Structures are given as structure tokens and as C-alpha cells.
Amino acid sequence: MNNIQVTIKLCVVLAALFCAGGASGYAISGKDTAMRPAWTRSSEWAKAWIERRMNEDFELTDATSEQRAAMQTSYAQLKQEFDAIQAQASERLALALRRHYAEVATSLTPEQREVLRRRNQEKVRQSQGK
């Protein structure tokens, strides 16, 4: 084999390796975000996140059984605070959206307002079904 053939084969192998790595990274990152609900609507996501963090912290610190039991109270409190923050954020977002759509409606014809109202109602139904 001459040097040009070796160089071409090396470039092809490296390009294939690069593409395989990129595809793997894309697949892994896509699965993580596609399966995770939005944090502002998901108490289940928050619970899983806090449990994951708690277990990582236990492992990292090599906490004893007694320490773990004592620390779990704080993680439970964090979950309650997280839920309260989610509720406040959801309420504030709903108010902001109502204000926004009321303002937008002033620029629309009655027919356009009705189209927008129906679409918004459909979005609410979809989000409640999830």
C-alpha cells in the first residue's frame, strides 16, 4: 500500500468513528430530554431528581445509616419547597398568559380572537391530559 491509500483509509476510519460518537451522543441526550417532563408541571420529575441527588450525595459522602436517616428529612423538606415553588410558578405563568392573550386580543378581529381562544382551550386540554 502506498502512503496515499493509508492516509485515505485512516481518514475514513476516523470520520466513521467521529460520526458514530456523534450519533451515540445525540441518541443518549435525546432520550434524556424527551422522556423528562417539564419541571414546572411535574412533581414526579422533581421527586425522581431529588431522590437521585440524595442517593448521589449518600454515595459521595459514604454516609452512615444514621446520617442517611437524618439527611432524608432535609431532602423531604426540599421536595415540599420545590412543590411550592412549582405551584407559585404555575400560578404566575397562568396570570401572565391571561394578561398576554387579553392584550393580544385587542389587536385581533372577533373571528381571530375566537380562533385563538379555541386553540388556547385545546392547549389547556392537552396539558391536563398529560
Side-chain angles (χ1 to χ4, degrees), residues 99-120:
R99 182 217 39 87
H100 165 73
Y101 284 115
E103 188 176 305
V104 166
T106 63
S107 302
L108 301 175
T109 66
E111 293 82 15
Q112 290 170 319
R113 282 186 218 133
E114 181 59 24
V115 168
L116 190 61
R117 184 190 67 75
R118 283 194 306 261
R119 195 277 316 260
N120 290 342

Side-chain angles (χ1 to χ4, degrees), residues 35-55:
M35 297 180 70
R36 184 178 61 221
W39 72 267
T40 57
R41 294 189 313 251
S42 176
S43 182
E44 295 83 19
W45 180 85
K47 181 180 178 189
W49 182 84
I50 289 171
E51 285 179 5
R52 222 175 19 256
R53 182 45 131 337
M54 178 179 64
N55 290 328

Side-chain angles (χ1 to χ4, degrees), residues 44-93:
E44 295 83 19
W45 180 85
K47 181 180 178 189
W49 182 84
I50 289 171
E51 285 179 5
R52 222 175 19 256
R53 182 45 131 337
M54 178 179 64
N55 290 328
E56 287 173 7
D57 292 351
F58 289 168
E59 292 294 319
L60 181 67
T61 60
D62 196 26
T64 66
S65 299
E66 295 80 22
Q67 290 171 319
R68 289 176 185 219
M71 293 165 65
Q72 283 179 335
T73 303
S74 182
Y75 287 101
Q77 182 179 354
L78 176 61
K79 173 65 170 82
Q80 289 174 344
E81 291 172 6
F82 199 96
D83 287 342
I85 291 167
Q86 285 178 320
Q88 290 171 350
S90 293
E91 289 171 15
R92 291 182 65 192
L93 181 59

